[in-house]
Amino acid sequence: MSDGTANGAHERTGLLSFTEDDDSRKVVDFTDWDEEDPRNWPKSRKLINVGIIALMAVLSPLASSMFTPGIAQIAQDLNSSPDQVVGATTGFVVFLGIGPLILAPLSETFGRRKLYLICFSIFALLQIPTALSPNIGTLIGVRSISGFFGSVGIANGGGTISDMFHPSQRAGIFGWYLLGPLLGPTLGPLLGGVLVQYLSWRWVFWFLTIICTFNTILGFLFLKESYAPTILETRKQKYEESEGGKFRIANQDDRPFWTKLISSMQRPLRILFTQPIVLTMAIWQAILFGTTYSLYTNFEAIYGSNGYYGFSTTQVGLVYLGPGLGFFICVWFIVPKIDTIYNHLTKKHGGEAKPEYRLPLANIGAVLIPISLFWFAWTVEYKVHWAVTVLSTVFFGLGQITILNTAQNYYIDSFQKYAASAIAAGAVFRSIVGGIVPLFATQLFQQVGYGWGVSTFAFTSLALSPAPLLFFYYGERIREAFAIDL
């Protein structure tokens, strides 16, 4: 739960102590200005870590959509149907959501850095058999497995940022990091369109192999461990080797290893299904991701040479910059205000910080999402000029970022030490829905048209739009009523 500090002071105990307690072991902890405490690292050191994990968080979602402009080419080359090729996106995105259920709690057991490097190395290597896929079964299978390992940046990025930044400083940094999971699917079709048009669909995956390998090398060279218990465990081992005697980490969990591991693996699902606010926000994010991937996989049908607007493959790729522009506008102008409002409300209430103070700006997204979807639905349905339809996606992107950022910051403030598990709880739901819904969306659009088809998503988001307001006023009561011991 929230730490209740006025200005985002340490959420951890502040002293490196060698005090004796009931079990007679000396306690190892950080001092207030301990240089090894990630909260006290120089800003440049923190931003290097953020940059590397943000690139991981961009590349795996980028891989999820980068080959979509080549769906028809892949279907022809592998003797399959376009619907079967879409299944390669579904498998990838579903496992992109399942991965955090396992990788987030593992990072809270073994540390962040080790998980990042192992998983992203495997993700980079798996792009090679994907590029060489001889049939659609191989493509879907390898893509699904790579989605699992590629999820490591999404699974642990929020937890890593929580490790390094105080609550009062977190939202602005987190906003730029969070561009990855959204900007990746946006930029993917643009880059993929160029590669497919001038080379072939296989070069999409050769390109991914190159840039993922480069990012992995950067990780090995520059990524530092940021998870406090792992850093303190290393320090404890050094003390035991150099000074002798027995030491323990502050608030150390002394349960057997396998008991702790099983408990940590259960943690994300326990958070998801026992916390009504997390579940509701996860459903909302799932609807947003399902809508996003449904639109992205149909942009070719809407704007392409056989669609309403007759664009080339490269021009269709440019359409994806609409929501991308909304993302940047939001991160630049709106997301930093999450911290401003949080700090203002904390000061206003006598220095008592609450996770609910992250939620006010979510109301912007609650309004913009249904409006932009209705706008897109009916301008496409009546074949209004393409610029009018693309403009609606700018506001959709803006609303999407506000909701995702406020929700993720709420998770971090509520669960602090287990922020990665809390974020994973929301990620699994949104990714599974985001992967499965596009399989049915195309049929929906064909049966009822884009007007009523996209409006279905708009009505669903409209039903959830009061959630931020309700949780702002009643969230604390709900959290207290459903408090759990993690």
Side-chain angles (χ1 to χ4, degrees):
M1 308 305 287
S2 180
D3 64 339
T5 55
N7 57 3
H10 284 273
E11 295 167 7
R12 303 190 280 265
T13 306
L15 295 174
L16 169 59
S17 55
F18 293 108
T19 57
E20 304 287 337
D21 59 12
D22 291 341
D23 66 6
S24 75
R25 291 179 296 175
K26 297 174 183 178
V27 178
V28 180
D29 200 356
F30 291 125
T31 59
D32 284 338
W33 302 108
D34 196 318
E35 292 183 356
E36 290 189 13
D37 183 350
R39 294 279 176 85
N40 296 329
W41 287 352
K43 187 175 182 180
S44 59
R45 174 65 264 170
K46 296 179 182 180
L47 292 180
I48 289 172
N49 259 30
V50 172
I52 293 171
I53 63 171
L55 189 54
M56 290 181 184
V58 169
L59 290 177
S60 51
L62 184 82
S64 72
S65 65
M66 196 171 177
F67 80 113
T68 53
I71 287 177
Q73 189 182 108
I74 296 171
Q76 182 178 6
D77 193 24
L78 300 183
N79 297 315
S80 60
S81 69
D83 287 342
Q84 287 176 311
V85 178
V86 171
T89 295
T90 297
F92 186 96
V93 174
V94 167
F95 276 86
L96 200 65
I98 293 174
L101 284 179
I102 298 172
L103 301 180
L106 284 180
S107 79
E108 294 163 351
T109 303
F110 299 105
R112 315 283 194 206
R113 185 177 185 272
K114 189 178 297 183
L115 263 292
Y116 282 129
L117 297 181
I118 292 173
C119 290
F120 217 74
S121 295
I122 296 172
F123 178 71
L125 290 172
L126 285 172
Q127 303 312 308
I128 298 173
T130 309
L132 298 172
S133 296
N135 53 58
I136 190 65
T138 302
L139 181 68
I140 293 174
V142 178
R143 287 266 298 166
S144 298
I145 297 170
S146 69
F148 175 87
F149 289 102
S151 70
V152 67
I154 297 170
N156 297 318
T160 303
I161 290 172
S162 178
D163 295 339
M164 298 186 294
F165 293 92
H166 298 296
S168 60
Q169 307 166 330
R170 187 183 296 143
I173 296 294
F174 194 68
W176 287 104
Y177 155 77
L178 206 56
L179 271 177
L182 295 172
L183 198 59
T186 302
L187 294 178
L190 174 60
L191 297 174
V194 175
L195 290 170
V196 169
Q197 184 168 349
Y198 294 104
L199 294 170
S200 77
W201 67 268
R202 295 184 187 275
W203 266 100
V204 169
F205 299 104
W206 290 125
F207 175 80
L208 286 170
T209 302
I210 294 168
I211 56 175
C212 291
T213 300
F214 173 73
N215 192 35
T216 304
I217 293 171
L218 288 180
F220 275 100
L221 293 176
F222 302 111
L223 189 65
K224 287 189 67 175
E225 179 58 62
S226 66
Y227 192 51
T230 302
I231 297 171
L232 290 172
E233 177 64 28
T234 302
R235 177 180 287 186
K236 185 193 81 166
Q237 292 173 3
K238 289 181 180 179
Y239 285 145
E240 290 178 342
E241 291 174 3
S242 62
E243 301 183 16
K246 292 293 184 180
F247 295 81
R248 73 174 178 86
I249 300 170
N251 304 313
Q252 179 172 310
D253 186 349
D254 288 321
R255 292 178 298 171
F257 171 78
W258 288 107
T259 302
K260 289 191 290 185
L261 184 61
I262 292 170
S263 176
S264 68
M265 300 290 280
Q266 295 172 340
R267 192 178 298 129
L269 290 179
R270 288 184 64 207
I271 291 172
L272 179 62
F273 292 112
T274 64
Q275 303 299 297
I277 298 178
V278 175
L279 181 60
T280 302
M281 298 302 279
I283 292 172
W284 201 359
Q285 291 177 64
I287 291 170
L288 289 178
F289 269 64
T291 304
T292 299
Y293 280 101
S294 295
L295 295 180
Y296 285 2
T297 53
N298 281 276
F299 273 3
E300 179 69 33
I302 295 171
Y303 294 102
S305 56
N306 296 321
Y308 293 171
Y309 298 98
F311 287 3
S312 69
T313 302
T314 303
Q315 288 174 322
V316 173
L318 292 171
V319 172
Y320 293 84
L321 294 180
L325 178 60
F327 298 159
F328 276 108
I329 292 172
C330 187
V331 169
W332 194 270
F333 295 105
I334 297 178
V335 168
K337 301 301 180 184
I338 296 176
D339 276 340
T340 303
I341 293 173
Y342 174 84
N343 294 330
H344 170 74
L345 291 173
T346 298
K347 184 178 179 180
K348 181 180 178 181
H349 291 87
E352 183 183 1
K354 297 178 181 178
E356 286 72 29
Y357 297 162
R358 299 291 188 185
L359 296 177
L361 287 181
N363 292 290
I364 295 175
V367 172
L368 289 180
I369 291 295
I371 288 176
S372 62
L373 287 176
F374 283 126
W375 177 353
F376 181 83
W378 295 103
T379 52
V380 168
E381 179 72 19
Y382 288 105
K383 302 179 180 62
V384 179
H385 191 275
W386 65 265
V388 179
T389 68
V390 172
L391 184 60
S392 69
T393 68
V394 176
F395 290 95
F396 178 75
L398 200 155
Q400 195 174 12
I401 281 283
T402 58
I403 291 171
L404 196 58
N405 262 278
T406 52
Q408 303 284 65
N409 275 281
Y410 173 85
Y411 295 160
I412 292 173
D413 285 357
S414 295
F415 297 97
Q416 295 176 12
K417 181 180 177 182
Y418 301 118
S421 287
I423 292 172
V428 62
F429 208 64
R430 73 169 186 248
S431 293
I432 290 175
V433 173
I436 293 176
V437 168
L439 294 175
F440 306 100
T442 300
Q443 296 179 7
L444 175 67
F445 297 153
Q446 290 173 349
Q447 291 175 2
V448 301
Y450 289 107
W452 287 113
V454 178
S455 291
T456 302
F457 294 101
F459 282 120
T460 307
S461 64
L462 185 64
L464 288 167
S465 60
L469 204 59
L470 292 174
F471 291 151
F472 179 77
Y473 287 107
Y474 302 107
E476 185 176 13
R477 297 183 199 175
I478 296 172
R479 284 189 291 112
E480 291 173 352
F482 292 90
I484 57 173
D485 182 12
L486 296 173

